[in-house]
Amino acid sequence: MATLQDEDSDDSSGWNKVNQNEADEMEQAESNEHVSSEEEEKESSDEVSFDEEEEVIITTHPQHKTFGNEAYKRKDYRAAIESYTNAIELSVVQYEGLDSKGADKEQADELAAVVASYFGNRSAAASMILKYEDVIADCDQAIFYNSSMVKAYFRKAKMEVTLGRVSEALKTYTLGLIRDPNNAAVLKERDQATDVLRRFDLAKSCLIKFSQTKQRSEARQANAQIDLVLAYAPSWKEARLAKCDALIAMGRMDEAYAITTSLMKSGMERNGDLLMMRVKCLYNMGEFESAIRHLRQMLNGDPDNKIAFAELKRIKNIEKTKKEADEFYKKRDMDGAIEKYTEALEQCTDSVNFRAKLFNNRASAFAAKRKHIECVADCGSAIELDESYEKAYAKRATSLLVLGEPSDVEAAIRDFEKLLELVPEEEHREYKKKIRAAQVQLKRAKRKDFYKILGVAKDATEPEIKKGYRKLALKWHPDRHANSDDTEKKVAEATFRDVNHAYEVLSDKKKKQMYDDGVDEQDLDDPNARPRGDGGGMGGIDPNVLFQMFMQQNGGGGGGGGGHSHGGGFGF
């Protein structure tokens, strides 16, 4: 930005020459006034006496300029603008007086340069309080009075870029460079302005590609380019509107909504594109009523707005479907909830954040039905749409632990570690505890898995554990393999022992809790549980005795002990 001293440097002599005749006339007028005053005083001396003579102070435009400079230095820009305005008004009157008197061109040009410098000073002060339109107007006036004032061209061009009028700014730069063609700093500014236009065109192209492909990488690229544009042109409303579009595509609704609020206050409250983006933010944030209210306001002002009407109908349908899904979920009708959440996903195709919520809600319904594979898949879809979705990470980790394969547990640990990056520090303790528990489970998962042996899930209920045991005990009981070859008999006996041992642990609440807490298999019979025995080498109880006990508890028939012949049916 040009300094005030530079802009004032060309007015130091001109106005003095121009003012000289007027100053002489003013002195003569003051002298005549003084004589007249003395006569009046003599005539009225018998009636009135004055203790002192009242002094009349006349401030010239150079003095107002000085006041303005002083205010500018102490950063009182509004006071500076007021003083420069006074200087402008007085100097313009003087300039017009010269013109009416037919003064020579040299005098007029000198005073015109002074007037231009005052406009330049006022534009500098206006730029400091972000009055960009006023800056441009003052630069135009400065150029009107002095077309050779190159600083006015360059300041005007900067303000035009700031406001996003880049094409106009390039023309203004050209006019200034005609008068100062070797100004390296300004040449660089012009090249930067050209680059701003190129980047903005690239950003718009990326947003078009996102609308076609839904690839968030396109939205991120658009946002990066727009940030570079706004760094050079911070008040470019069209660029800020495009940034809203990019943020919405990236799922950053709170940031986008804040920008729409700022733009509404800047005089764009009737801009249809802005209002539609505000609607997108609201329904992505789940604020259906507010989104619908905005659309109705748009339609009140423009009843024939087909886009707003279609959007209003669509959002109302999505809201209705989601409410139905939520009601099914509250009633514990998970099949109905899953169906309705699926329908809502089909209706809502362009809302990144809201689709993430729908996937997460459907994942909750799948988890409630203990369909953990489906739950993990939906949580993954939600996270793909919203990389900071804490609930989706936590839900997916829980279902992965239930699935229990080593690769599943490892993935769950990664989710918990990701949550440590996302959640507030006061919640770290909880997730660190879950990571430790998952690490214990991982260690156990690489050894003998009693749940897997019985063919049940990690969250299996007591009846499900019994059912799994009954099915496998019947399948692998040695009597069933009496006629098998020796190899098959050994496999059946080993599997039968594992099934019985698994059931012994999982049917005992205390042992099951210890096992779930990560206690190693060989430590389950410590002093706080049943002592470890050697009956059959399988946890202190003969597998055939355990099997017979189970059958008696469940009303099954039973033959002689020893695990050889159990007579008729088992009552399964």
Side-chain angles (χ1 to χ4, degrees):
M1 179 182 293
T3 63
L4 293 174
Q5 183 178 356
D6 289 339
E7 289 173 352
D8 293 337
S9 62
D10 55 2
D11 72 335
S12 57
S13 60
W15 68 268
N16 287 322
K17 294 178 182 178
V18 175
N19 265 357
Q20 189 61 52
N21 292 335
E22 287 191 3
D24 292 342
E25 291 176 4
M26 187 178 292
E27 286 180 8
Q28 183 62 43
E30 287 176 352
S31 176
N32 293 338
E33 254 183 46
H34 184 63
V35 171
S36 176
S37 295
E38 287 179 347
E39 292 175 354
E40 289 177 2
E41 283 178 10
K42 288 178 181 179
E43 291 175 0
S44 60
S45 59
D46 294 337
E47 299 177 6
V48 181
S49 63
F50 293 90
D51 293 332
E52 59 182 36
E53 184 177 348
E54 185 177 328
E55 184 179 358
V56 177
I57 299 175
I58 298 176
T59 306
T60 63
H61 57 81
Q63 290 174 315
H64 281 299
K65 179 209 68 174
T66 300
F67 297 154
N69 289 353
E70 291 171 353
Y72 190 98
K73 288 176 182 177
R74 64 175 183 268
K75 299 182 179 181
D76 187 353
Y77 301 114
R78 287 178 170 78
I81 289 172
E82 183 178 353
S83 293
Y84 292 139
T85 300
N86 291 334
I88 288 169
E89 290 173 350
L90 289 176
S91 62
V92 167
V93 168
Q94 185 177 343
Y95 176 80
E96 291 173 349
L98 283 179
D99 188 51
S100 65
K101 293 177 182 179
D104 61 62
K105 185 176 185 304
E106 182 180 353
Q107 280 186 319
D109 288 346
E110 286 177 351
L111 184 55
V114 172
V115 176
S117 72
Y118 295 162
F119 275 112
N121 287 355
R122 190 169 72 175
S123 73
S127 71
M128 299 303 293
I129 56 174
L130 311 182
K131 298 287 187 179
Y132 301 130
E133 296 287 0
D134 292 349
V135 174
I136 292 173
D138 276 354
C139 286
D140 283 336
Q141 286 296 308
I143 293 167
F144 172 78
Y145 282 99
N146 182 8
S147 62
S148 298
M149 188 175 177
V150 293
K151 291 176 184 177
Y153 290 100
F154 299 150
R155 178 173 291 146
K156 177 185 176 183
K158 282 184 180 181
M159 295 303 103
E160 286 174 329
V161 171
T162 298
L163 293 170
R165 303 170 191 169
V166 186
S167 297
E168 295 175 29
L170 291 174
K171 294 177 183 177
T172 306
Y173 275 125
T174 299
L175 291 172
L177 287 167
I178 290 173
R179 294 159 175 81
D180 187 7
N182 299 318
N183 191 319
V186 174
L187 288 169
K188 183 178 179 180
E189 286 178 12
R190 185 192 62 182
D191 291 343
Q192 288 174 329
T194 302
D195 189 57
V196 163
L197 275 182
R198 180 186 65 80
R199 291 185 181 279
F200 189 54
D201 288 340
L202 176 58
K204 290 190 290 186
S205 176
C206 289
L207 288 172
I208 291 171
K209 289 180 181 177
F210 172 80
S211 68
Q212 296 168 344
T213 65
K214 303 303 180 186
Q215 293 292 322
R216 299 187 84 176
S217 59
E218 296 290 350
R220 286 192 291 267
Q221 170 71 346
N223 187 58
Q225 294 299 325
I226 294 168
D227 281 342
L228 293 171
V229 168
L230 290 174
Y232 199 72
S235 296
W236 191 352
K237 291 180 181 179
E238 186 182 356
R240 294 178 70 195
L241 199 61
K243 182 169 180 65
C244 284
D245 204 0
L247 290 172
I248 290 170
M250 294 165 66
R252 291 158 59 177
M253 299 301 156
D254 290 341
E255 295 174 64
Y257 188 76
I259 293 176
T260 65
T261 300
S262 174
L263 288 172
M264 293 277 284
K265 293 178 180 178
S266 72
M268 293 182 67
E269 63 275 3
R270 295 185 181 276
N271 184 287
D273 291 337
L274 174 59
L275 291 172
M276 192 57 70
M277 285 185 189
R278 196 168 172 85
V279 167
K280 285 184 180 180
C281 289
L282 288 167
Y283 97 83
N284 267 282
M285 295 159 67
E287 300 290 340
F288 290 105
E289 292 183 4
S290 294
I292 291 170
R293 185 170 62 250
H294 273 65
L295 287 166
R296 284 176 174 159
Q297 289 174 351
M298 289 176 66
L299 289 168
N300 286 339
D302 182 10
D304 297 325
N305 190 325
K306 294 181 180 180
I307 295 176
F309 182 80
E311 191 69 3
L312 176 61
K313 182 178 179 181
R314 189 174 74 91
I315 292 177
K316 289 176 71 175
N317 286 337
I318 294 171
E319 179 188 30
K320 177 176 177 290
T321 305
K322 183 183 179 294
K323 283 183 177 179
E324 291 173 348
D326 292 343
E327 285 300 316
F328 278 123
Y329 189 92
K330 290 175 183 177
K331 295 175 182 177
R332 311 304 295 170
D333 181 351
M334 298 306 160
D335 289 328
I338 290 169
E339 180 182 349
K340 284 297 179 179
Y341 285 131
T342 302
E343 185 180 335
L345 282 165
E346 292 170 353
Q347 293 172 333
C348 177
T349 58
D350 63 340
S351 169
V352 174
N353 274 26
F354 190 62
R355 281 179 63 81
K357 291 178 182 179
L358 290 173
F359 274 119
N360 186 65
N361 287 0
R362 192 172 70 174
S364 296
F366 278 128
K369 285 179 64 66
R370 295 167 61 202
K371 292 187 174 182
H372 296 290
I373 293 175
E374 291 85 348
C375 174
V376 168
D378 269 3
C379 288
S381 296
I383 290 167
E384 186 178 348
L385 292 168
D386 183 356
E387 296 173 355
S388 61
Y389 205 155
E390 297 172 17
K391 290 182 179 179
Y393 281 108
K395 191 180 281 93
R396 183 170 71 176
T398 301
S399 282
L400 286 166
L401 290 177
V402 172
L403 291 173
E405 291 296 323
S407 60
D408 296 326
V409 180
E410 288 171 349
I413 291 172
R414 289 194 295 271
D415 280 349
F416 286 137
E417 288 172 343
K418 178 66 177 180
L419 282 164
L420 290 177
E421 301 174 10
L422 299 174
V423 302
E425 190 171 351
E426 56 266 24
E427 297 180 29
H428 282 199
R429 182 177 179 182
E430 174 189 354
Y431 287 111
K432 286 179 179 179
K433 182 178 179 181
K434 289 183 177 181
I435 289 172
R436 289 193 296 270
Q439 289 169 339
V440 170
Q441 182 174 335
L442 178 61
K443 179 181 177 182
R444 189 177 67 230
K446 293 178 179 179
R447 298 178 182 178
K448 189 174 291 185
D449 186 338
F450 292 151
Y451 291 100
K452 188 174 182 179
I453 289 171
L454 293 184
V456 297
K458 294 293 188 297
D459 59 348
T461 62
E462 185 176 344
E464 288 171 335
I465 291 172
K466 288 181 180 179
K467 182 178 179 181
Y469 171 66
R470 291 169 64 184
K471 178 180 178 180
L472 293 173
L474 175 61
K475 179 179 179 180
W476 296 106
H477 193 275
D479 285 359
R480 286 292 186 92
H481 299 271
N483 297 325
S484 301
D485 60 34
D486 291 342
T487 301
E488 292 174 342
K489 284 181 180 179
K490 287 180 180 180
V491 170
E493 288 173 1
T495 304
F496 188 61
R497 284 197 301 271
D498 286 344
V499 167
N500 279 282
H501 185 39
Y503 182 68
E504 176 200 353
V505 172
L506 298 182
S507 62
D508 183 306
K509 291 183 179 180
K510 193 170 185 179
K511 281 190 175 184
K512 181 177 182 298
Q513 185 61 54
M514 293 170 62
Y515 177 75
D516 288 342
D517 288 342
V519 176
D520 288 341
E521 177 186 347
Q522 63 269 25
D523 297 329
L524 292 174
D525 293 315
D526 64 18
N528 294 320
R530 272 192 311 119
R532 184 178 177 86
D534 59 357
M538 300 301 295
I541 185 169
D542 184 272
N544 289 290
V545 174
L546 180 63
F547 181 79
Q548 186 176 10
M549 289 169 56
F550 178 82
M551 294 303 301
Q552 289 173 348
Q553 291 170 1
N554 289 279
H564 295 293
S565 176
H566 290 264
F570 293 100
F572 288 131

